[in-house]
Amino acid sequence: MFFDGYGYHGTSFEQIYRCYPASFIEKPQIESGDKIIMPPSALDRLASLHIDYPMLFELRNDAAERVSHCGVLEFIAEEGMIYMPYWMMENMLLQEGDIVKVKNVTLPKGTYVKLQPHTKDFLDISNPKAILETTLRNFSCLTTGDSIMVAYNNKKYYIDIIETKPDTAISIIETDCEVDFAPPLDYKEPEKPTAPLSAGKAAVAAEVIPAEDEPKFNPFSGTGRRLDGKPLNYQPPPVSSSGSKDQKPDVVNLQSSTASSSQSNARQSQGKLVFGSNANRTKETGKAKESKPEPPKEKEEPKFQPFSGKKYSLRG
C-alpha cells in the first residue's frame, strides 16, 4: 500500500517523506552529525528485509537534483515525516515540508577523503585534527560535494568534501581513512614584496649622471699692474675649471712674457724712462737685436802667491 507519501513496496526500502529540521522535535544533538529520525513504520519494514548494517540511506531531492547520504538515529518520528539536520537540508536545497525520497543503500568503506574549510578560522584552532576526528565520530558516511558543519567553541565551521575514495559516497564507520586538507576558500597567497619603480629609476639616474669636477687650483693666475700706473694692454684670460683647458694659461703666460719683453725693448728704443737703464744700455740693446754677441768670458781671479809683499828696512 502506498498512501500520502508513505507506504512500502518492493523488496527494498524506498520511501517518500516530508522533511523538517531537528528543531521541530527538540533534538538539537543531531545537528552535530549526519543521522536522521524516521517513523516506527520504517523500522518494521527494514527489519523484514535482509539489509546490511549499519543502516545507510540515500536522500534525493528530485526537484533540485540533489543527492546525499545519511544514517539513522531513532525511529520516533510521526508517520510520513522525517527530521534532518538543518545543514543537510541546506545542502539539498530543502525547505520545511518539502518532499524527499529515502532509499536504503550499501556504501564501501572509505580510504581517502579530502576536505576544504570555508574560512581560515578553522586552521587557527589549536588542534583542528582532534576536533575533526571527534566530530566525524557522529557521522556514518560522507558524500562528495556535501558541506558538513563542525561546531566548536560556540562557533560553526563549514567544510566542503571535495573528494572521496574509493567512491563518491563512502562509509566511515570502523575504518581507517586518510584525511587531506585543501587550502581554505578565503585563503590568499602572500604577495612577494617588490621594490617601487621610482626608487629603481632614481638609483639608475644617480649612476648615469657623473659628478661635476671641482675647479683645480692654478697658481699665478692673478692680474699684473705697472709701476707707472698706466693700464695694461694685455688682459689675462678667464681661468677654466676643466682639466683640458688648464694648459692654455701656460701658453698665454709664455706669450705674455714674450710680449712684455718686446714692449720693454720697444720702450727702451723709443727713449722712454725705464728704471735701471741709460742711453748706453739702450744702444747696446739695439746692437743686441742686430747681432747677438758672444757672452763675455768671466775674469779669472788672481791666484794667491805667498811672500809676494814689499820689503821694508828698519833703517829707512
Side-chain angles (χ1 to χ4, degrees):
M1 181 178 65
F2 185 82
F3 175 73
D4 195 19
Y6 64 93
Y8 306 106
H9 55 87
T11 57
S12 63
F13 182 87
E14 186 174 354
Q15 191 63 41
I16 295 175
Y17 296 101
R18 293 189 182 272
C19 64
Y20 294 91
S23 58
F24 277 48
I25 198 175
E26 296 182 358
K27 292 284 185 179
Q29 64 269 23
I30 69 174
E31 289 291 343
S32 60
D34 67 339
K35 296 179 175 61
I36 63 175
I37 297 178
M38 300 179 69
S41 59
L43 177 59
D44 295 338
R45 177 61 179 172
L46 291 169
S48 63
L49 298 175
H50 298 284
I51 61 174
D52 296 330
Y53 290 87
M55 295 182 183
L56 301 177
F57 301 90
E58 177 189 272
L59 304 177
R60 182 179 296 271
N61 180 9
D62 292 332
E65 297 182 353
R66 290 295 185 99
V67 178
S68 184
H69 296 80
C70 67
V72 59
L73 181 64
E74 293 179 313
F75 294 91
I76 59 173
E78 298 177 6
E79 292 297 332
M81 299 171 55
I82 60 172
Y83 297 97
M84 304 169 55
Y86 186 71
W87 63 266
M88 189 180 293
M89 294 181 63
E90 289 180 336
N91 286 341
M92 300 186 65
L93 304 178
L94 292 171
Q95 300 294 330
E96 299 174 1
D98 287 350
I99 299 297
V100 61
K101 185 182 292 185
V102 180
K103 180 182 177 181
N104 73 298
V105 292
T106 301
L107 299 178
K109 290 187 177 183
T111 57
Y112 174 82
V113 60
K114 189 172 185 180
L115 308 176
Q116 184 177 32
H118 284 195
T119 60
K120 297 183 294 184
D121 298 340
F122 181 74
L123 301 180
D124 295 336
I125 300 175
S126 59
N127 194 353
K129 183 179 178 181
I131 300 300
L132 187 61
E133 288 179 354
T134 303
T135 303
L136 291 181
R137 290 174 185 172
N138 299 323
F139 284 73
S140 55
C141 55
L142 296 175
T143 305
T144 301
D146 280 357
S147 294
I148 62 175
M149 189 270 294
V150 177
Y152 175 73
N153 199 14
N154 298 326
K155 192 173 182 180
K156 296 180 180 179
Y157 302 93
Y158 289 90
I159 301 175
D160 291 341
I161 303 171
I162 59 178
E163 186 180 358
T164 57
K165 294 179 181 180
D167 202 350
T168 56
I170 58 173
S171 172
I172 58 173
I173 298 176
E174 297 179 357
T175 180
D176 293 332
C177 187
E178 180 183 356
V179 179
D180 191 12
F181 283 90
L185 294 177
D186 61 347
Y187 176 76
K188 294 181 180 179
E189 294 185 0
E191 298 180 357
K192 297 180 180 180
T194 56
L197 296 177
S198 58
K201 292 181 179 179
V204 173
E207 294 178 358
V208 172
I209 299 175
E212 296 183 357
D213 296 335
E214 296 182 356
K216 294 182 178 180
F217 172 72
N218 293 322
F220 307 107
S221 59
T223 58
R225 295 181 181 276
R226 291 178 49 163
L227 294 177
D228 55 3
K230 292 183 180 181
L232 289 175
N233 295 329
Y234 166 72
Q235 296 293 335
V239 180
S240 61
S241 61
S242 62
S244 60
K245 296 180 181 179
D246 291 343
Q247 298 176 357
K248 292 185 178 179
D250 298 340
V251 179
V252 174
N253 291 336
L254 293 175
Q255 294 177 356
S256 63
S257 61
T258 307
S260 60
S261 61
S262 61
Q263 288 179 1
S264 62
N265 293 335
R267 288 196 300 270
Q268 291 177 1
S269 61
Q270 293 176 1
K272 293 183 179 180
L273 180 61
V274 180
F275 288 95
S277 63
N278 49 28
N280 295 331
R281 185 176 178 181
T282 302
K283 293 179 180 180
E284 291 174 2
T285 305
K287 292 179 180 180
K289 291 181 179 181
E290 295 177 358
S291 60
K292 295 181 180 179
E294 296 180 357
K297 298 181 179 179
E298 296 181 359
K299 294 181 179 181
E300 297 180 356
E301 295 181 358
K303 296 182 178 180
F304 174 73
Q305 296 180 359
F307 306 106
S308 61
K310 291 182 179 183
K311 178 179 172 182
Y312 292 94
S313 176
L314 295 175
R315 295 178 182 179

